[in-house]
Amino acid sequence: MSDLVIDAVLAIDIGTSSIRAFAYDRNASVIKGLRVQIEHKPDISDGGSTFDPEQFFYRFVRCLEEMMALSRGVCKFHSVGITTFWHSMVGLDSVGQPVTPIVTWADQRPAQEAIKLHTEVDATAWHAISGCAIHPSYYPSRIKWAVKEFSIADTTSVKWASPAAFILSRLFGRLWESTSIASATGLFDQNANKWSKTICQTLVVETNNLPEVSNDNQPVIGLQMPFADQWPELNDIPWSQPIGDGAASNLGSGCHTQNMLAINLGTSGAIRALFKADQFAIPDSLWCYRLNQDYFVSGGAFSDGGDTLAWLRDLFGIDAVKSALAAIVDKKPAEHGLTYLPFLAGERSTGWRPSATATIHGLRQSTAPIDILQASMEGVALRFKLVYIELKACFPEIDTVIASGGALAAAPAWSQMLANCLGTSVEVAEESEMSCRGAALTAMKDAGWITNWDDVPLLKTRAIMPESQYVDLMDRELQRQQALYEKLS
């Protein structure tokens, strides 16, 4: 092998819009030219959001095939890291074959089961255990719905697993779930670090209907056939335990201490704190999951983010939105007089109302498309402020906010809106692949390249300072938004 071959780790991002693979060097930087992206999208109809499991696995294999073809002779992989979307599940039979589609986090069809479950259990107590509200995004209502929807007669033989667990079971010949992925199901006891017997027994779900939860300190090695022959370069190296994309994004952003917050604004949005602790008293308004056995991640998530721009492009046309985005930087905040509730896909944080709908209040004959665009973007930014207030109450030492995501790149004015709404400076990362970088860092640790998360170069960011003359104004806009929310709720 040539001396020019680069030492690398492989990071794989199993996402809702694509499956991607990147090669990272020892500085946690993407190696030029070593990137593969296989696009896909869920089947969406009547509130559903699903993938065919076989096609999903095929696209994963294809992504790795293309990466290996690109990387041979260029780099040597020392470990593999995986990040994936949380909250999604597939039912598997006794031999590991799918008996349901992959039901994604966005599927709202279990909403009636969630409403019914609210009347049957102590939702506050369940949230204190699992860190998850009773909501169609999580497993409790989703399993009850799936049993009926897919006519599963023998529920004792089905295992409910994540898409990542399904994929890895085929690669390694056994089914398990990582702590990070298990922690975001609504069935996991966050402080006990295991499946919750209290919640599972209430649902009549045995823990043997769920994959074994892995030891995060033990990466897996040794692909089964035919994959050991297909990818010999990946066979004898450690594969890190999969981590949820939100926790991975914090890690990739460098936000792994409780004085730092990470904001991601892509198709959806989230604001999170990642911190090391033995126990955590979970506030009612926040969710709580895990990066691994040592680190919690807590915050809020929103179904609406960049999809708001996509909706407006469909409404007004691509060119109109493009020109409005360019002009919006010269407009004063909130001068449109509109109040927007960004619930195009229902509400997650903080009220967790799946039936909530988006609302624009204050329309007049003089209202222009640019006004609706500005109000919509500001409305999204104001929801981040709601969760920011809650996180500051938990972690008063917060002094750094790092933001990333494709929607920020597509609409730079959003960064200033976030700074004005939060009332603090926002460091906008020049890189956008924070989740993949987080997966790369876990792989680097398992390869023995780093011992601490700080052992890599800092991200390059640009600081966006709040415009002091508008901070109080945006606080009043939040009060107006909340008043409208309460009236409609």
Side-chain angles (χ1 to χ4, degrees):
M1 190 172 285
S2 167
D3 291 339
L4 298 177
V5 169
I6 304 168
D7 288 330
V9 296
L10 175 61
I12 304 168
D13 185 347
I14 304 171
T16 313
S17 59
S18 67
I19 298 176
R20 298 175 295 170
F22 299 80
Y24 283 80
D25 64 19
R26 287 181 177 270
N27 292 317
S29 297
V30 177
I31 299 172
K32 186 176 180 180
L34 295 187
R35 166 183 173 151
V36 174
Q37 180 168 351
I38 306 297
E39 294 184 350
H40 61 192
K41 59 182 180 180
D43 298 321
I44 299 176
S45 62
D46 300 324
S49 177
T50 62
F51 286 104
D52 177 274
E54 299 299 339
Q55 289 298 315
F56 198 84
F57 180 71
Y58 165 77
R59 286 188 286 268
F60 178 90
V61 171
R62 180 181 157 200
C63 183
L64 258 64
E65 284 287 340
E66 292 189 15
M67 172 54 77
M68 299 315 297
L70 283 176
S71 63
R72 287 188 178 109
V74 179
C75 69
K76 177 183 178 182
F77 290 121
H78 291 261
S79 59
V80 180
I82 297 176
T83 182
T84 185
F85 49 91
W86 267 320
H87 322 313
S88 303
M89 76 174 199
V90 59
L92 304 175
D93 66 17
S94 58
V95 292
Q97 294 303 305
V99 296
T100 75
I102 291 172
V103 183
T104 80
W105 57 271
D107 199 303
Q108 293 301 300
R109 290 175 295 174
Q112 289 303 313
E113 291 293 344
I115 292 169
K116 184 180 177 183
L117 199 55
H118 258 290
T119 68
E120 298 173 343
V121 303
D122 185 338
T124 301
W126 274 31
H127 180 269
I129 295 169
S130 69
C132 302
I134 294 177
H135 188 269
S137 293
Y138 299 117
Y139 279 30
S141 56
R142 185 161 291 191
I143 290 175
K144 290 171 70 69
W145 165 82
V147 168
K148 299 175 183 177
E149 178 72 12
F150 303 111
S151 302
I152 298 173
D154 183 10
T155 57
T156 62
S157 65
V158 175
K159 284 195 183 285
W160 304 102
S162 71
F166 164 63
I167 287 172
L168 293 177
S169 71
R170 292 200 164 179
L171 297 185
F172 292 96
R174 65 182 182 89
L175 182 68
W176 80 95
E177 205 75 83
S178 71
T179 298
S180 182
I181 304 305
S183 73
T185 61
L187 301 176
F188 195 78
D189 187 326
Q190 300 296 351
N191 283 314
N193 235 330
K194 61 183 180 181
W195 297 121
S196 168
K197 287 186 177 180
T198 300
I199 295 176
C200 289
Q201 287 174 354
T202 304
L203 294 170
V204 197
V205 174
E206 300 296 332
T207 53
N208 61 11
N209 292 125
L210 301 168
E212 178 186 356
V213 179
S214 66
N215 181 336
D216 290 314
N217 298 319
Q218 294 180 352
V220 63
I221 297 176
L223 295 165
Q224 69 171 354
M225 299 296 288
F227 307 108
D229 279 348
Q230 282 181 247
W231 311 314
E233 304 95 328
L234 305 180
N235 187 36
D236 296 323
I237 62 175
W239 289 57
S240 302
Q241 298 295 337
I243 53 176
D245 52 4
S249 182
N250 269 64
L251 187 57
S253 301
C255 298
H256 52 80
T257 55
Q258 58 194 46
N259 69 310
M260 304 178 76
L261 292 182
I263 285 177
N264 181 262
L265 192 50
T267 302
S268 56
I271 177 170
R272 302 168 299 258
L274 178 66
F275 55 97
K276 193 171 185 178
D278 294 326
Q279 300 277 297
F280 181 54
I282 305 165
D284 291 342
S285 57
L286 302 179
W287 48 251
C288 179
Y289 318 136
R290 283 181 172 269
L291 169 72
N292 54 30
Q293 292 170 326
D294 299 320
Y295 282 82
F296 290 96
V297 58
S298 186
F302 319 100
S303 294
D304 288 59
D307 67 338
T308 299
L309 295 182
W311 169 65
L312 290 169
R313 290 187 190 105
D314 290 341
L315 198 63
F316 297 125
I318 294 174
D319 291 340
V321 171
K322 185 177 180 180
S323 61
L325 284 171
I328 205 171
V329 294
D330 297 321
K331 288 178 65 66
K332 294 180 181 178
E335 65 178 355
H336 42 70
L338 303 175
T339 301
Y340 178 64
L341 292 175
F343 304 137
L344 291 169
E347 184 192 12
R348 291 160 76 188
S349 297
T350 57
W352 296 95
R353 292 179 170 90
S355 60
T357 57
T359 300
I360 302 175
H361 178 70
L363 292 169
R364 298 176 177 83
Q365 284 185 327
S366 59
T367 301
I370 192 172
D371 298 322
I372 295 175
L373 173 68
Q374 183 182 9
S376 299
M377 294 171 66
E378 288 174 350
V380 170
L382 289 170
R383 304 317 285 177
F384 278 90
K385 176 61 178 283
L386 274 182
V387 180
Y388 178 76
I389 292 169
E390 298 289 341
L391 286 167
K392 281 284 284 185
C394 293
F395 309 111
E397 62 270 41
I398 288 171
D399 57 15
T400 302
V401 178
I402 296 180
S404 63
L408 291 182
W414 235 331
S415 300
Q416 187 64 64
M417 292 176 185
L418 283 170
N420 289 345
C421 287
L422 300 184
T424 189
S425 64
V426 174
E427 299 284 336
V428 179
E430 294 183 6
E431 297 180 35
S432 60
E433 303 293 348
M434 295 299 104
S435 292
C436 236
R437 189 171 189 264
L441 292 182
T442 63
M444 291 172 69
K445 199 169 185 181
D446 284 335
W449 290 2
I450 60 174
T451 55
N452 300 299
W453 303 128
D454 291 324
D455 294 344
V456 293
L458 294 175
L459 286 172
K460 293 181 179 179
T461 62
R462 56 186 178 86
I464 306 295
M465 304 301 296
E467 297 167 307
S468 57
Q469 68 272 31
Y470 298 132
V471 172
D472 289 342
L473 171 63
M474 297 316 293
D475 282 343
R476 292 194 295 273
E477 288 301 305
L478 178 59
Q479 293 171 14
R480 281 179 31 166
Q481 188 189 60
Q482 280 300 92
L484 178 62
Y485 175 86
E486 293 298 335
K487 287 179 181 178
L488 294 180
S489 296

